[in-house]
């Protein structure tokens, strides 16, 4: 399940904290705690395009082009809309996160694995706390998380900007050397690794999610690579 990550020749070797010594687990939400095959983002993606089209009276194709421009240049569509058009972020999030979460299958297996996993559990998402609450409730795992650090808490600065990572650990008294961050978008692990966190990439074939700085095995910001988070956590907590 876990695939080794080997630094490229000449790359600086990181010495991550052993997983047995981790006392804070920081989880991304979408396509990390539930499989990407649930395809919730397709609904969010469509609603972002609809929001832009309605707000600026644009045909679908042009609204779609603008949405991808904002995402590519600013890290999130919301950040682009706020920067270029001073859009109210609350109105945007209320619209785009009004989705059907029933494609996410409840996961008693993940609930059990999280119950057995020692340490604090934190959600760190570029989405809203409302969306996180809905997804966690659907999965049946909300009880395990004492912190949801969302885009509002981050002052609307999205991953992978390093500033909210620093704010998160300061706000919640987290020692990054004893923390592990788990993400499906590889570039979002770069600031976590720089702070000294142990990192886990939930592998994805999506172009935007795959490792930057080369490819798998050529960077030094991924310590563990897994293809099934629930199975990995189950194995990790089996002993």
């Amino acid at each position: 399940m876990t695939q080794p990550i080997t630094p490229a020749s000449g790359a600086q070797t990181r010495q991550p904290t052993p997983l047995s010594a981790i006392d804070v687990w920081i989880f991304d939400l979408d396509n990390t705690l539930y499989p990407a095959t649930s395809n919730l983002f397709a609904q969010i993606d469509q609603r972002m395009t609809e929001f832009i089209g309605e707000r600026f009276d644009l045909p679908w194709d042009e609204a779609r082009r603008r949405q991808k421009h904002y995402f590519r240049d600013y890290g999130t569509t919301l950040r682009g809309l706020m920067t270029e058009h001073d859009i109210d972020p609350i109105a945007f999030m209320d619209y785009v996160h009004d989705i059907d979460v029933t494609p996410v299958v409840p996961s008693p297996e993940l609930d059990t694995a999280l119950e057995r996993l020692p340490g604090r559990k934190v959600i760190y998402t570029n989405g809203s706390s409302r969306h996180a609450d809905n997804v966690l409730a659907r999965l049946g795992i909300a009880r395990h998380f004492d912190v949801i650090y969302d885009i509002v808490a981050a002052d609307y600065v999205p991953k992978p900007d390093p500033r909210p990572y620093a704010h998160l650990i300061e706000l919640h008294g987290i020692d990054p050397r004893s923390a592990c961050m788990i993400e499906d978008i590889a570039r979002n692990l770069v600031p976590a690794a720089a702070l000294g966190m142990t990192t886990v990439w939930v592998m994805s074939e999506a172009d935007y999610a795959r490792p930057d700085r080369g490819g798998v095995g050529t960077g030094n910001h991924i310590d563990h690579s897994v293809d099934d988070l629930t199975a990995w956590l189950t194995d990790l907590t089996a002993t």
Side-chain angles (χ1 to χ4, degrees), residues 120-137:
R120 296 172 63 195
K121 289 91 174 176
V122 173
I123 297 292
Y124 177 14
T125 175
N126 274 347
S128 67
S129 59
R130 171 194 173 189
H131 175 59
D133 286 339
N134 289 340
V135 170
L136 295 175

Side-chain angles (χ1 to χ4, degrees), residues 98-177:
D98 185 15
I99 63 169
D100 175 19
V101 298
T102 58
V104 172
V105 178
S107 182
E109 297 84 359
L110 180 57
D111 180 55
T112 297
L114 290 170
E115 176 68 28
R116 293 174 176 169
L117 186 69
R120 296 172 63 195
K121 289 91 174 176
V122 173
I123 297 292
Y124 177 14
T125 175
N126 274 347
S128 67
S129 59
R130 171 194 173 189
H131 175 59
D133 286 339
N134 289 340
V135 170
L136 295 175
R138 177 64 180 167
L139 283 166
I141 61 173
R143 66 192 180 95
H144 300 293
F145 298 93
D146 63 351
V147 170
I148 296 177
Y149 187 83
D150 71 346
I151 195 66
V152 179
D155 198 25
Y156 301 103
V157 178
K159 309 172 198 173
D161 189 299
R163 289 172 293 174
Y165 294 71
H167 181 240
L168 167 63
I169 64 174
E170 180 182 5
L171 182 65
H172 294 289
I174 297 169
D175 177 359
R177 290 296 307 171

Side-chain angles (χ1 to χ4, degrees), residues 3 48 56 62 68 72 77 79 97 172 201 214 216 231:
Q3 297 191 7
M48 287 191 291
F56 301 108
E62 175 59 19
K68 299 308 177 186
R72 182 181 63 251
T77 300
R79 190 67 180 176
H97 288 144
H172 294 289
W201 179 47
V216 173

Side-chain angles (χ1 to χ4, degrees), residues 18-31:
L19 294 171
S20 59
I22 296 297
D23 60 21
V24 180
W25 302 86
I26 302 172
F27 292 87
D28 175 50
L29 180 74
D30 292 308
N31 297 339

